[in-house]
Amino acid sequence: MLIILLGPPGAGKGTQAEEIAQKYNLVYISTGDILRKAVKEETSMGRNAREYMDQGQLVPDNLVVEIVRDRLMKPDCANGALLDGFPRTVDQAVFLDQVLPDIGAKIDRVLLIEVEENELIERLTGRRVCSNCGANYHIKYKPPQVRNVCDQCGGDLYQREDDSLATVKERLEVYKKQTEPLIKFYQGKGLLSSIDGNQNIEDVFGQVRNILEDL
Ligand code: AP5
């Protein structure tokens, strides 16, 4: 099974991805997480990507597509994968269509999580992430049991560089210009299912489950 999660920054893609990957036994591939790891480790790709990410811009397609192709070709993806944050441009989607036959895969469903803009801003500016295991929290909607401490591993929580208000606004603009055209792209292929992401985390997952169980 190959599932793509589409939606604006802060829609809850990463939050839902944790549940989906676990329930459906899919390999979770987040280009954002892979790029952040490269930035942290100061690899040459990370150094290239950093300036774009910090400004809320997309990293150039040529850097990202290689990451995804290499990851999808690993044997653990044979049972299925969940793509979060890729593709993010029509060019990336066309690239994915070209690569999939090489690995004997096809896209089963594209889940579009839709959330109102004010809510997106509140979610992103209130997000906290574990510096050790990467678990996601929110100061209001999903607070940790102990302030700024990860429930899962005890690591320190931090705020992502690109979750400042100014950069969040830029990311939302970039989404509208560069990523929203994918909605029509996948609608045209009959692959798109829309999800109302304005509900609580459990109810959003309920909608996801209904869609995936019909496949
Ligand atoms: P990436 O990490 O993919 O960021 P994003 O798409 O902007 O998405 P986010 O991770 O910010 O949001 P999310 O939808 O996962 O929401 P989350 O579940 O965390 O990319 C970062 C950067 O990397 C990009 O800007 C770009 O530079 C680069 N990049 C990545 N992929 C690329 C590509 N393919 N091409 C080029 N560049 C690329 O939830 C957010 C908060 O809300 C959390 O605090 C959570 O607890 C809370 N929350 C979640 N769901 C709910 C709910 N239902 N109700 C209340 N709160 C909720």
Side-chain angles (χ1 to χ4, degrees), residues 36-215:
R36 272 185 294 280
K37 183 165 181 277
V39 168
K40 196 171 168 192
E41 291 170 356
E42 298 189 359
T43 65
S44 68
M45 182 181 71
R47 282 194 294 274
N48 267 329
R50 180 174 200 148
E51 58 180 305
Y52 298 97
M53 296 173 78
D54 284 354
Q55 289 168 24
Q57 301 296 320
L58 294 187
V59 172
D61 287 344
N62 63 321
L63 281 180
V64 181
V65 295
E66 295 305 328
I67 298 175
V68 174
R69 182 177 52 200
D70 291 352
R71 187 64 192 90
L72 281 174
M73 285 191 167
K74 294 207 168 133
D76 61 342
C77 289
N79 289 333
L82 175 65
L83 286 174
D84 168 7
F86 185 93
R88 233 170 167 113
T89 63
V90 171
D91 283 349
Q92 290 180 12
V94 170
F95 169 87
L96 184 63
D97 283 346
Q98 287 163 357
V99 163
L100 289 179
D102 294 344
I103 54 171
K106 67 169 183 53
I107 300 167
D108 289 286
R109 190 96 325 234
V110 178
L111 302 175
L112 169 67
I113 307 182
E114 297 180 293
V115 175
E116 288 177 14
E117 187 158 318
N118 285 344
E119 173 72 13
L120 293 172
I121 292 172
E122 191 179 359
R123 286 189 191 178
L124 289 171
T125 53
R127 172 167 55 190
R128 299 293 181 269
V129 183
C130 175
S131 55
N132 183 43
C133 72
N136 254 324
Y137 294 89
H138 189 278
I139 51 173
K140 181 169 155 194
Y141 300 125
K142 195 184 170 190
Q145 281 165 14
V146 178
R147 196 164 176 264
N148 286 331
V149 178
C150 179
D151 293 345
Q152 292 175 31
C153 74
D156 293 334
L157 304 188
Y158 74 102
Q159 183 171 33
R160 265 170 51 174
E161 289 274 333
D162 60 351
D163 279 347
S164 67
L165 182 58
T167 311
V168 163
K169 286 185 172 168
E170 183 59 31
R171 286 162 64 199
L172 291 171
E173 283 307 307
V174 167
Y175 174 79
K176 281 181 202 152
K177 284 196 198 118
Q178 294 184 256
T179 308
E180 264 186 4
L182 284 175
I183 296 175
K184 278 217 173 96
F185 181 89
Y186 284 122
Q187 255 166 355
K189 290 173 177 282
L191 287 172
L192 195 88
S193 295
S194 295
I195 289 169
D196 177 4
N198 295 294
Q199 303 176 12
N200 67 40
I201 294 171
E202 292 72 29
D203 289 349
V204 174
F205 186 57
Q207 295 178 62
V208 170
R209 231 179 15 229
N210 288 340
I211 293 165
L212 296 187
E213 273 161 19
D214 279 349
L215 289 183

